[in-house]
Amino acid sequence: MLRYAELSTARDLTMKKTNRTHEELYSRLLAAFGCRNWWPAKSAEEVIFGAILTQNVAWTSVEQAVAALRREGKLHFESIAVMVEAELAALIRPARFMNQKARTLQAFAEYFGIQYGYSIRRMKKYTTESLREQLLSLYRIGPETADSILLYALGKPVFVIDAYTKRICSRHGLMGPDDPYDVYQRFFMDRLAPDAALYNDFHAQLVHLGNRFCTTRPLCSGCPLQDFKTLPFKGNPAKKPS
């Protein structure tokens, strides 16, 4: 199974733009969990299916929906573009919100076909900024989904922010729980080198931590960040002026 933007487990996070807080955070997670090799998919198109289907649902449900699409030979957007919406919705039922997600998949399929002739290679040639603007204009594709597509399917250096990332950062005093998406994103991207492979594994580490330890009711015992202390640095958006 292919993984996109893989990162070697031996990689050293000592880049000139990396802040000590980020370095310690990532280093602890990498030492505890190893390289996460995310996103699990056989193609870039499959990554995009997963990014859309995973909205508001557990990954196990996404896997069931993807498996159903694969069995029917529909795991290609060229096929999705000509499907009857109700038929598509029935196939992706395990991922919940099936009607909305079927419409989103078909909206993306139409865009992907018209703009890029269903070619990931052609799509990758465009700038991150223009692609993000296009993706955000599509039905029910928000910042997290758009950035997941950019990073995991297209290999663009965009840090993905999700509920796990917000929960972990706010619990450790790095950010405020109500800070908006773009502020969280800048917290990482302003202090890390623009490296898609690094962003890929860093975000995947945070997701894994959120699944295993930093759940709604935190399981702090055994967590690699149990004694993690925030290292102060200039410009931390979580530090409000007194």
Side-chain angles (χ1 to χ4, degrees):
M1 182 175 290
L2 299 176
R3 264 66 171 196
Y4 288 84
E6 291 188 359
L7 186 69
S8 168
T9 54
R11 182 158 192 150
D12 181 17
L13 188 71
T14 54
M15 301 178 222
K16 64 180 182 179
K17 286 189 67 178
T18 303
N19 178 269
R20 289 183 303 148
T21 297
H22 295 71
E23 182 174 357
E24 182 181 352
L25 176 61
Y26 178 74
S27 296
R28 285 190 180 211
L29 296 176
L30 184 61
F33 304 137
C35 185
R36 298 309 305 157
N37 290 327
W38 196 259
W39 196 292
K42 294 181 179 180
S43 69
E45 280 195 60
E46 186 175 329
V47 172
I48 299 171
F49 275 96
I52 292 171
L53 293 172
T54 199
Q55 295 172 355
N56 303 306
V57 73
W59 183 252
T60 51
S61 299
V62 175
E63 290 178 320
Q64 294 175 41
V66 168
L69 289 165
R70 182 177 285 113
R71 281 196 305 270
E72 298 298 320
K74 303 295 185 182
L75 204 54
H76 303 281
F77 282 104
E78 197 164 355
S79 299
I80 297 301
V82 296
M83 284 186 74
V84 175
E85 186 178 306
E87 178 187 355
L88 174 57
L91 280 177
I92 63 172
R93 180 182 293 274
R96 303 178 61 199
F97 310 105
M98 55 189 189
N99 293 322
Q100 292 178 349
K101 290 180 179 180
R103 196 172 308 162
T104 304
L105 288 170
Q106 290 198 309
F108 181 87
E110 181 181 13
Y111 151 79
F112 189 35
I114 292 173
Q115 292 288 115
Y116 304 108
Y118 303 107
S119 170
I120 292 290
R121 184 170 56 86
R122 191 176 302 166
M123 192 175 184
K124 284 182 177 181
K125 293 180 180 179
Y126 285 75
T127 66
T128 302
E129 293 73 19
S130 63
L131 288 169
R132 193 173 195 266
E133 184 178 358
Q134 292 167 20
L135 290 170
L136 289 173
S137 72
L138 300 178
Y139 175 75
R140 294 191 69 81
I141 289 188
E144 182 183 338
T145 302
D147 291 342
S148 294
I149 292 170
L150 289 168
L151 176 62
Y152 290 108
L154 303 177
K156 301 291 186 180
V158 179
F159 204 98
V160 179
I161 303 300
D162 59 15
Y164 293 123
T165 304
K166 287 188 172 185
R167 185 186 299 158
I168 293 163
C169 288
S170 63
R171 282 177 175 172
H172 286 277
L174 296 168
M175 297 288 293
D178 298 321
D179 286 337
Y181 186 99
D182 65 310
V183 174
Y184 267 89
Q185 192 171 61
R186 289 201 307 273
F187 173 71
F188 288 93
M189 293 183 65
D190 287 354
R191 295 167 181 85
L192 296 172
D195 184 333
L198 171 63
Y199 290 2
N200 177 317
D201 196 60
F202 203 150
H203 174 250
Q205 297 286 350
L206 292 168
V207 171
H208 190 63
L209 182 75
N211 268 310
R212 285 192 56 184
F213 294 102
C214 207
T215 54
T216 304
R217 292 185 177 184
L219 307 172
C220 295
S221 179
C223 173
L225 300 185
Q226 185 175 7
D227 62 344
F228 177 75
K229 302 296 183 183
T230 302
L231 299 174
F233 59 91
K234 184 178 180 181
N236 186 340
K239 303 295 185 183
K240 309 297 184 186
S242 58

